[in-house]
């Protein structure tokens, strides 16, 4: 089975600064998909960004971008120009070819005004 | 947002009672999932379904059963609730397209006293 590891239980960032959340995964598959979800205190799970493993180009969505290193099995999330509304729990997720999703344990991000 | 409704949103019950949580979707997605979310554990898969009457176990399936008699409904049952099943439960759906993420319901907070 695939495993997803988020080694930073908590992170903090100054408003307007940049922060990077790390995620590593273990798999023997060659084709898969990776996602970052945000969970604010409202408890909703919100998709932030996605990455196809076959694409070398890193995905970008406005202030959010990823650093995808396939050989290293690493998928970090960079948040630029951090805003107070970015404060949330962030989960890294892996979609297998068997259509199961595997989640990390999450990183709680605090944004300091 | 994807049309996913979980009911109830909150429930308090006593040890030993049966509990059924309902997940209803209006998206006609093939895959449906039940997760539980606990501090320090992220999201853990309980059961999932890949079609009507087609279900399979996840990593924490003991004490839970599921049924899917219609495409739109996926029920999670705790036959005899225990205090260890106190958690927040999320339903998710996904298309039969491998690059697509899951979409989540708003969660059910279940407390077993």
């Amino acid at each position: 089975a695939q495993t997803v590891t988020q080694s930073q239980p908590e992170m903090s960032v100054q408003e307007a600064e940049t922060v990077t959340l790390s995620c590593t995964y273990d798999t023997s598959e060659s084709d898969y998909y990776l996602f970052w979800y945000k969970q604010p205190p409202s408890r909703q799970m919100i998709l932030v960004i996605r990455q196809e493993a076959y694409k070398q180009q890193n995905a970008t969505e406005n202030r959010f971008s990823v650093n995808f290193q396939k050989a290293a099995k690493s998928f970090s999330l960079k948040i630029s120009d951090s805003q107070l509304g970015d404060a949330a729990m962030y989960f890294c997720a892996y979609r297998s070819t068997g259509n199961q999703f595997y989640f990390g344990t999450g990183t709680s991000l605090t944004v300091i005004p | 947002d994807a049309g996913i409704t979980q009911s109830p949103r909150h429930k308090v019950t006593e040890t030993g009672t049966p509990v059924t949580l309902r997940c209803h979707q209006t998206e006609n997605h093939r895959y449906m999932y039940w997760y539980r979310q606990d501090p320090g554990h992220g999201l853990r898969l309980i059961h999932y379904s890949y079609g009507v009457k087609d279900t399979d176990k996840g990593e924490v399936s003991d004490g839970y059963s599921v049924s899917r008699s219609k495409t739109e409904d996926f029920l999670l049952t705790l036959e005899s609730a225990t205090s260890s099943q106190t958690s927040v439960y999320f339903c998710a759906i996904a298309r039969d397209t491998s690059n697509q993420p899951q979409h989540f319901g708003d969660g059910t907070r279940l407390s077993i006293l």
Side-chain angles (χ1 to χ4, degrees):
Chain A
Q2 286 72 21
T3 57
V4 178
T5 302
Q6 293 179 250
S7 59
Q8 307 153 313
E10 298 177 344
M11 292 282 285
S12 61
V13 62
Q14 207 77 30
E15 194 175 5
E17 296 296 310
T18 296
V19 64
T20 299
L21 309 183
S22 66
C23 173
T24 59
Y25 56 94
D26 186 24
T27 184
S28 58
E29 296 178 333
S30 59
D31 191 20
Y32 49 86
Y33 298 85
L34 299 164
F35 307 91
W36 278 97
Y37 286 88
K38 170 186 177 181
Q39 187 181 41
S42 67
R43 208 167 68 193
Q44 280 185 298
M45 290 286 286
I46 302 165
L47 177 69
V48 175
I49 199 165
R50 77 183 78 182
Q51 175 77 43
E52 291 88 346
Y54 66 85
K55 286 188 178 179
Q56 293 187 339
Q57 186 174 6
N58 290 324
T60 299
E61 288 286 343
N62 300 313
R63 297 183 295 107
F64 298 87
S65 61
V66 301
N67 183 6
F68 174 51
Q69 302 289 328
K70 189 172 184 179
K73 296 180 182 176
S74 171
F75 180 59
S76 60
L77 175 69
K78 186 171 82 171
I79 305 174
S80 304
D81 185 26
S82 297
Q83 300 176 0
L84 295 177
D86 295 334
M89 183 73 80
Y90 287 82
F91 292 98
C92 176
Y94 173 108
R95 180 171 184 168
S96 74
T97 54
N99 293 304
Q100 287 204 40
F101 290 76
Y102 301 87
F103 288 82
T105 52
T107 296
S108 178
L109 179 66
T110 299
V111 180
I112 303 165
Chain B
D1 287 344
I4 311 170
T5 304
Q6 288 186 232
S7 57
R9 292 295 314 279
H10 305 272
K11 186 173 181 68
V12 180
T13 190
E14 295 184 346
T15 300
T17 59
V19 177
T20 295
L21 308 182
R22 180 181 183 235
C23 178
H24 178 77
Q25 63 150 327
T26 58
E27 305 295 319
N28 201 36
H29 285 359
R30 177 181 178 187
Y31 295 97
M32 299 185 76
Y33 308 79
W34 276 108
Y35 294 90
R36 59 178 291 173
Q37 183 178 22
D38 304 289
H41 291 277
L43 289 162
R44 293 184 290 175
L45 181 66
I46 305 171
H47 282 280
Y48 68 101
S49 170
Y50 45 96
V52 173
K53 297 186 180 179
D54 291 325
T55 64
D56 207 349
K57 297 179 180 180
E59 64 175 306
V60 291
S61 60
D62 287 348
Y64 301 94
S65 62
V66 290
S67 67
R68 190 171 179 196
S69 58
K70 298 184 290 185
T71 298
E72 58 266 34
D73 289 325
F74 193 32
L75 304 180
L76 177 70
T77 297
L78 291 65
E79 300 289 348
S80 178
T82 68
S83 58
S84 65
Q85 294 175 312
T86 291
S87 187
V88 178
Y89 290 85
F90 283 95
C91 174
I93 63 175
R95 291 180 185 168
D96 190 9
T97 307
S98 56
N99 68 344
Q100 294 300 305
Q102 286 176 314
H103 298 283
F104 287 82
D106 289 337
T108 295
R109 183 174 294 280
L110 178 63
S111 298
I112 301 166
L113 308 177

